[in-house]
Amino acid sequence: QTEEEEVRIGFSQAMLNDEWRQSMNNAMEVQASLYPNVTLSISNANYNVQQQIAQLKEFISDSVDIIIVSPIQSKPITPIVEEAMNAGIPVLVVDRKTDNQKYTAYVGADNIEVGRNAAKIIVSNVQDSLSVIEIRGLAGSSPADERSLGFHQILDKFPKIKFAGTIEGDWEKESITESLRELLSRTGPVDYIFAHNDRMAKGAWEEARNLGMEGHIKIIGVDGLNGPNGGIQLVKDGVLNATILYPTGGAEAIKIALKILNAEVVPTNNILSTTVIDQFNADIMQNQFSKINEQQGLIESQISAIKRQEQLYYSQNNILKIIIIF
Ligand code: FRU
């Protein structure tokens, strides 16, 4: 594909209601706008698997040049990804995986490592016995399975660490409040809660506060978004003990998609780095991310200035042509 050739990217996003996904989309849009020949269409699957399948079908029948997908759940999205591949459309899977490796490439952080990082925080504080509650993300979505796997890989080796219970969430805090209330009322304050994302972690803190236990339980989340409602701020506010950074990979996804279309060799697994954000580095992380956001904002305004100039040039050029004709 040469630079001038038009490139159409179709992205099926699992849903749009949370800031993590909005930030992913934003990073993709900024990155895509750097290439005038790239058109990025983002469809929101609204957390509805059937809708996501229908969107992917549409991308296939539209013969987009490449599909990017963040599957709501692995299993139901696997066959349609295969269908796209069989139709000759490359597929880049982001954040959540399908059930097999029949896609062109994957980009996202290592969710097993995310779970292990959370476990390591707990292990490094174990003296006597410790009790832990795990709050899982949506069953059947790969980050939930992998975060849990990594978490258990480490904690199950420590007999002093006891699981007081596991709660099945769906990534949103509303899904966990009742069962957590019921569990904590039975167990009393536990030492740690690991929630698979910061939204549920915040919900867990609110529930602990309702029960007067918030000072006793250390809560670990995942995502570490910047901004007033993000995980980094929650760590700074002392709501969370720590959060494990889970980068969205929006900009990387577009870069990798374009490499695939340029027939460059791309690794099947493009793993983004993750790290622990706690009281010791929350400030530094916040500063770093704010700088990146500032630069992103600058790029966005420069791009729209260039577009305005182009429009002005074309309209002046057209006026000139009309004058010459007459
Ligand atoms: C956003 C989200 C994140 C989580 C990710 C897992 O929709 O729920 O909070 O880390 O999805 O795929």
Side-chain angles (χ1 to χ4, degrees):
Q1 225 108 17
T2 66
E3 267 199 357
E4 281 67 40
E5 254 180 275
E6 217 217 308
V7 166
R8 289 186 304 136
I9 303 177
F11 172 41
S12 171
Q13 174 62 289
M15 63 114 137
L16 267 190
N17 302 6
D18 65 78
E19 290 190 11
W20 191 87
R21 296 208 177 262
Q22 285 160 8
S23 137
M24 183 199 260
N25 288 7
N26 189 254
M28 280 191 176
E29 276 160 353
V30 172
Q31 191 62 34
S33 68
L34 298 178
Y35 311 89
N37 59 324
V38 170
T39 314
L40 169 68
S41 21
I42 300 182
S43 357
N44 171 15
N46 247 319
Y47 250 8
N48 179 328
V49 167
Q50 290 315 316
Q51 201 169 324
Q52 188 158 47
I53 294 172
Q55 282 168 358
L56 292 169
K57 281 214 161 98
E58 211 171 302
F59 286 147
I60 299 172
S61 63
D62 280 357
S63 304
V64 295
D65 295 297
I66 187 163
I67 290 174
I68 305 179
V69 58
S70 184
I72 299 168
Q73 283 166 311
S74 307
K75 206 179 161 75
I77 303 303
T78 302
I80 185 78
V81 166
E82 277 187 54
E83 204 177 307
M85 293 287 286
N86 291 338
I89 301 176
V91 181
L92 175 62
V93 176
V94 294
D95 150 50
R96 301 186 186 177
K97 294 176 184 161
T98 48
D99 258 357
N100 56 28
Q101 292 257 335
K102 290 186 185 152
Y103 44 72
T104 315
Y106 166 79
V107 57
D110 179 342
N111 279 300
I112 298 181
E113 200 190 334
V114 167
R116 284 197 196 131
N117 277 341
K120 281 180 195 161
I121 300 173
I122 300 176
V123 166
S124 68
N125 284 309
V126 64
Q127 287 153 354
D128 258 336
S129 62
L130 275 182
S131 55
V132 175
I133 290 175
E134 182 185 7
I135 299 179
R136 294 176 44 107
L138 178 70
S141 70
S142 65
D145 297 336
E146 292 177 351
R147 286 172 196 179
S148 197
L149 182 69
F151 192 60
H152 279 273
Q153 273 176 357
I154 295 205
L155 289 195
D156 291 354
K157 292 193 190 123
F158 288 81
K160 283 179 174 175
I161 297 173
K162 302 263 182 285
F163 274 86
T166 301
I167 285 175
E168 293 292 332
D170 70 359
W171 300 115
E172 304 312 320
K173 71 173 181 187
E174 293 74 19
S175 65
I176 59 126
T177 37
E178 241 169 74
S179 31
L180 183 63
R181 187 180 319 142
E182 193 262 326
L183 180 60
L184 285 176
S185 315
R186 251 190 307 124
T187 61
V190 292
D191 296 294
Y192 278 95
I193 292 180
F194 170 45
H196 285 188
N197 70 5
D198 290 338
R199 298 195 298 286
M200 296 191 295
K202 188 174 180 215
W205 179 82
E206 285 166 358
E207 216 33 64
R209 187 193 47 192
N210 290 342
L211 296 167
M213 297 179 183
E214 81 274 23
H216 305 281
I217 307 177
K218 294 194 180 82
I219 302 174
I220 303 169
V222 179
D223 282 345
L225 273 182
N226 192 21
N229 307 312
I232 301 184
Q233 191 58 46
L234 293 175
V235 170
K236 287 182 70 171
D237 293 343
V239 169
L240 300 187
N241 180 251
T243 177
I244 317 298
L245 179 70
Y246 188 59
T248 69
E252 289 81 359
I254 297 295
K255 286 186 204 161
I256 294 166
L258 294 178
K259 279 191 187 165
I260 293 171
L261 291 174
N262 277 324
E264 286 174 43
V265 181
V266 162
T268 311
N269 283 309
N270 300 272
I271 303 304
L272 307 170
S273 51
T274 166
T275 188
V276 172
I277 302 173
D278 58 16
Q279 53 162 329
F280 301 110
N281 65 354
D283 271 327
I284 301 172
M285 298 299 276
Q286 201 166 49
N287 285 341
Q288 292 297 322
F289 284 123
S290 300
K291 273 193 196 130
I292 295 174
N293 283 350
E294 225 172 83
Q295 273 157 1
Q296 239 186 11
L298 263 176
I299 296 174
E300 277 172 89
S301 55
Q302 277 165 354
I303 287 167
S304 45
I306 292 171
K307 285 193 176 139
R308 276 198 305 276
Q309 285 297 325
E310 271 175 2
Q311 272 162 5
L312 198 68
Y313 170 80
Y314 286 125
S315 56
Q316 283 176 346
N317 218 15
N318 283 341
I319 294 173
L320 209 65
K321 277 185 201 153
I322 294 168
I323 294 174
I324 291 169
I325 290 169
F326 289 99

